[in-house]
Amino acid sequence: MDFTHTEERQLFKDSVARVIADTYTLDARNKAAETDLGFSAEKWAQFAKLGAIGALFSEEDGGFGGAPFDVTVLFEELGRGLVNEPFLATAILGGGLIAELGNAEQKAVIEEIIAGTKQLAFAHGEPKSRYDASHVETTAKKSGDGWVLNGAKAVVLNGSAADTLIVSARSSGAAWDEDGLSLFLVPADAAGVARHSYPSIDGLHAAEVRLDNVAVGADALLGAEGKAWPAIEKVIARANLALASEAIGAMEVARDMTIEYLKTRKQFGVVIGKFQALQHRMATVLLEIEQARSSVINAAGRFDGSRVEREMAVSSAKTLAGKIGRLVAEEAIQMHGGIAMTWEYAVGHFAKRLVMIDHMFGDVDYHVARYVALSKEAA
């Protein structure tokens, strides 16, 4: 099997890498993270003009790609640049659900997403759900021609900046049932919606969202009533593929910074890169990163297969991204010493992002258990 990129994909990868290298500095990124928005609107518009957002949508939906390998190529470069603009929240999660389930009128908003003028957030996780994506206690009750939503959502990525929330709610069934889940397009400023925003340790922003008797019309329902679970599962799988790819980019930068430091830092009059113990540790890091990359390629290649095949491959990739990402983060910090923990030095920021990637949409333990369960299902 040929794993090389197509000419168009390679050109796109090079363009994104060049823009990030030339214009995206750590200092500017951290300053943007401290704003209420949590990212740079100017940079988001620049990425939109470059076509980076459109690359995550199919031509059928008005984009320029949308294939699994388009996701991996883009997010690997975003990981290298430690980019905190809301590609995951707006394009992969929110935009992905609209592309999967939306009618023609609802899909019209994708044009605004690609242009960088529309922000979305997927309000799905709840205080009691942890990583169990089917555990939803937020309720949706019919009221006349519309619906009334009540519940609480936790750690909603881009929740404070979003114009529209895509809210999961249970229109039937018990709290853990996959059947009975519905999705609704809710204006972020709708009556009864309360948002509390906060920064995470890696420089991104999230929000706690409260829905108290939020009334929406019949046209707010995204897809069929009670049948949203397959789309939710698929979009979360795509998010995990994106995160595993982002981790590869971040790991490679942390690796390169550490190698460069080992070549220049002296101890006892000798550059520390000459110490055999450190050489062995770095060799392990290099091999482990390649293993993680292979799992991402495997997941992208199997993404359009059967549901079990897709989910097993994605859980495998996310497991290795979490496990190896933590290894790389720990080794980079330990080999750098105290300088790695200073705010001005980049490697600590990459380490924090790698740790957070592990905890998003299921950590190592969760995905190992899920892989085992899926293996039994496939047998």
Side-chain angles (χ1 to χ4, degrees):
M1 183 179 291
D2 184 6
F3 293 126
T4 58
H5 296 308
T6 63
E7 184 179 354
E8 293 82 2
R9 198 169 283 142
Q10 186 63 50
L11 287 171
F12 172 68
K13 175 184 172 70
D14 293 343
S15 297
V16 174
R18 185 166 55 252
V19 166
I20 291 174
D22 292 346
T23 69
Y24 208 91
T25 66
L26 178 66
D27 184 57
R29 181 253 189 197
N30 289 339
K31 287 180 179 178
E34 293 173 357
T35 65
D36 291 339
L37 194 62
F39 60 90
S40 168
E42 180 183 352
K43 292 298 182 187
W44 183 244
Q46 185 179 11
F47 282 126
K49 186 176 181 180
L50 181 65
I53 306 171
L56 299 173
F57 293 92
S58 67
E59 291 185 15
E60 184 181 83
D61 291 322
F64 321 115
F69 281 106
D70 293 319
V71 174
T72 62
V73 163
L74 175 60
F75 272 83
E76 186 175 325
E77 296 306 322
L78 297 180
R80 285 198 178 95
L82 206 62
V83 172
N84 62 354
E85 275 63 43
F87 284 91
L88 188 72
T90 292
I92 296 289
L93 294 169
L97 287 169
I98 292 175
E100 281 285 325
L101 299 176
N103 56 36
E105 184 178 348
Q106 291 167 335
K107 283 188 175 184
V109 76
I110 293 177
E111 182 178 347
E112 296 178 63
I113 297 170
I114 292 173
T117 58
K118 186 76 171 179
Q119 289 289 329
L120 300 177
F122 182 30
H124 179 61
E126 300 189 353
K128 295 181 182 179
S129 63
R130 191 162 169 75
Y131 298 136
D132 295 299
S134 65
H135 181 194
V136 174
E137 296 183 12
T138 297
T139 61
K141 303 293 184 183
K142 284 188 176 179
S143 177
D145 293 333
W147 300 82
V148 175
L149 310 179
N150 281 282
K153 298 295 182 177
V155 198
V156 179
L157 296 176
N158 202 40
S160 58
D163 309 302
T164 301
L165 305 174
I166 299 180
V167 177
S168 61
R170 186 164 295 286
S171 51
S172 63
W176 298 88
D177 291 346
E178 294 175 357
D179 196 38
L181 289 177
S182 299
L183 292 173
F184 299 89
L185 298 170
V186 180
D189 58 357
V193 175
R195 296 180 289 172
H196 171 66
S197 176
Y198 51 88
S200 54
I201 66 166
D202 56 348
L204 274 67
H205 278 221
E208 304 298 298
V209 177
R210 185 80 198 175
L211 303 122
D212 292 315
N213 294 319
V214 177
V216 294
D219 59 348
L221 181 64
L222 191 61
E225 176 191 343
K227 302 299 180 183
W229 171 249
I232 292 173
E233 184 180 51
K234 184 176 181 180
V235 165
I236 290 176
R238 201 160 182 253
N240 273 321
L241 176 64
L243 288 168
S245 304
E246 183 185 347
I248 298 296
M251 282 189 270
E252 291 194 333
V253 173
R255 174 203 66 193
D256 293 345
M257 290 185 69
T258 304
I259 290 174
E260 184 62 28
Y261 186 76
L262 295 180
K263 290 178 179 178
T264 56
R265 177 72 167 92
K266 288 187 177 181
Q267 189 71 33
F268 308 114
V270 180
V271 293
I272 60 176
K274 290 186 177 292
F275 298 152
Q276 194 173 57
L278 297 185
Q279 292 175 1
H280 288 171
R281 288 167 66 178
M282 281 308 302
T284 298
V285 166
L286 266 64
L287 289 171
E288 292 293 326
I289 291 175
E290 289 309 306
Q291 184 181 2
R293 177 181 292 282
S294 296
S295 71
V296 168
I297 293 172
N298 178 64
R302 295 177 181 274
F303 197 87
D304 292 328
S306 68
R307 177 242 169 204
V308 171
E309 183 182 26
R310 176 192 75 213
E311 296 297 324
M312 287 180 66
V314 168
S315 279
S316 175
K318 188 60 164 54
T319 296
L320 289 177
K323 179 182 177 182
I324 296 169
R326 184 175 290 273
L327 168 70
V328 173
E330 290 174 350
E331 290 287 49
I333 288 176
Q334 288 178 20
M335 291 192 209
H336 273 87
I339 191 175
M341 301 307 295
T342 60
W343 183 258
E344 294 79 12
Y345 200 71
V347 75
H349 295 279
F350 282 95
K352 286 187 285 188
R353 180 58 184 156
L354 286 168
V355 170
M356 283 299 294
I357 285 175
D358 178 35
H359 290 286
M360 297 175 73
F361 302 108
D363 60 10
V364 169
D365 291 341
Y366 171 82
H367 280 286
V368 168
R370 191 164 191 266
Y371 186 91
V372 171
L374 288 164
S375 298
K376 292 177 181 177
E377 190 176 328

